[in-house]
Amino acid sequence: MEAEMDSDLGGDRLTLYGAEFSSRLLAGTAQYPSPAILSRAIAAAKAEIVTVSLRRESGGSRSGERFFALIRELGVRLLPNTAGCRSVREAVTTAQMAREVFDTPWIKLEVIGEEDTLQPDVFGLVEAASILTRDGFQVFPYTTEDLVAAEKLLGAGCEVLMPWGSPIGSGRGLNNPYALKSLRAHFPDVPMIIDAGIGAPSHAAVAMEMGFDAVLSNTAIAKAGDPVKMARAFALAVEAGRTGYRADLMQARDMAAPSTPVIGRAFSSRARA
């Protein structure tokens, strides 16, 4: 039975810009206590894609080179990001530098528009995505659950969307499940990765049960008391959520529905009297 389940899951692969992956959990690489724990956590998560940030001040430094060498040793696909960029120009320049450093057309595009929530600037995001896709990048835009923004990003050439669950590092899970469900329903064939705000394995499971294709987690794993155990918990949650979604979850209802049939049930003559 277990072999059959593994085989079934093995046929359910994640496809992003033509590349296929078995794991649906993406992992960030920031804030870990040590390089050794980072390596063990990525292995425990069974992540095949990790995000990396490129800071201009560290791109050519010795410490930066050591970190990039460690990431390469993990044997995973790199998804560089433009974390912290506040303008289109800054994001585009950072993406171009990342392509040169990491030798990949993939870029997780962030253009931050609001300081307190770190909410994406969807106007700048669409502009930057248009520039980068014309330049040959394969863009993973960090966006909101806004349907119009999603339509514009797809029109700009993006083939993947990364809607936020809640503000970066908040750990609040899915702040607006109704809007996220609407986004998923409007674009059923577009790969979508829930990014930001995922604070617990249960949050990841809920996202997967809603039909999202993958989850990205960083802070919740890296800042846990035991990052390696938490990474494993997230891997199990993502797998459980995806399996539940594929099994066709029951729909919630307002009234009770007996699990035992009423017709044909036993009753006593005393109760009848």
Side-chain angles (χ1 to χ4, degrees):
M1 180 67 70
E2 184 175 348
E4 291 179 4
M5 182 176 294
D6 290 341
S7 175
D8 181 55
L9 290 173
D12 181 36
R13 298 177 67 82
L14 173 66
T15 302
L16 303 170
Y17 286 106
E20 291 190 349
F21 303 91
S22 298
S23 173
R24 291 175 179 271
L25 175 60
L26 287 66
T29 55
Q31 305 183 74
Y32 283 86
S34 70
I37 291 177
L38 166 61
S39 297
R40 290 172 57 205
I42 297 301
K46 299 182 180 180
E48 296 174 283
I49 304 171
V50 300
T51 60
V52 289
S53 298
L54 177 65
R55 294 293 184 183
R56 296 179 186 178
E57 64 271 19
S58 65
S61 69
R62 186 169 300 174
S63 60
E65 290 174 357
R66 287 197 298 267
F67 175 75
F68 298 151
L70 168 65
I71 296 301
R72 290 190 179 97
E73 290 173 1
L74 295 175
V76 294
R77 182 71 180 256
L78 300 183
L79 176 58
N81 68 31
T82 63
C85 291
R86 263 70 177 178
S87 70
V88 172
R89 181 177 181 180
E90 184 181 15
V92 169
T93 300
T94 302
Q96 292 168 339
M97 293 176 64
R99 180 169 60 181
E100 182 176 344
V101 170
F102 297 110
D103 190 27
T104 176
W106 278 21
I107 192 72
K108 180 189 170 190
L109 180 61
E110 296 184 23
V111 182
I112 301 302
E114 204 281 322
E115 291 298 322
D116 291 331
T117 63
L118 299 180
Q119 180 170 328
D121 172 2
V122 294
F123 305 101
L125 189 64
V126 171
E127 182 181 349
S130 298
I131 295 171
L132 292 172
T133 53
R134 288 197 300 268
D135 193 27
F137 282 89
Q138 295 173 334
V139 179
F140 294 68
Y142 167 58
T143 184
T144 66
E145 62 280 295
D146 186 270
L147 296 175
V148 176
E151 188 74 60
K152 297 290 186 181
L153 288 166
L154 296 174
C158 299
E159 297 180 14
V160 177
L161 297 176
M162 299 185 73
W164 68 345
S166 52
I168 295 172
S170 68
R172 295 181 58 86
L174 306 182
N175 259 2
N176 196 341
Y178 173 79
L180 287 170
K181 287 180 181 178
S182 296
L183 180 67
R184 177 72 282 179
H186 272 72
F187 306 101
D189 300 322
V190 176
M192 293 190 191
I193 303 165
I194 292 293
D195 180 20
I198 299 298
S202 57
H203 299 160
V206 170
M208 298 304 294
E209 288 172 355
M210 289 168 60
F212 286 92
D213 298 280
V215 168
L216 170 61
S217 180
N218 188 172
T219 306
I221 295 176
K223 302 296 284 185
D226 188 330
V228 178
K229 286 184 179 178
M230 187 60 74
R232 178 58 178 154
F234 265 87
L236 292 170
V238 167
E239 182 177 317
R242 179 65 180 179
T243 304
Y245 170 74
R246 294 185 70 206
D248 193 9
L249 292 162
M250 68 174 289
Q251 298 300 308
R253 50 185 292 146
D254 295 328
M255 303 297 291
S259 57
T260 302
V262 175
I263 298 175
R265 69 179 181 180
F267 61 92
S268 67
S269 58
R270 179 177 303 175
R272 182 174 58 187

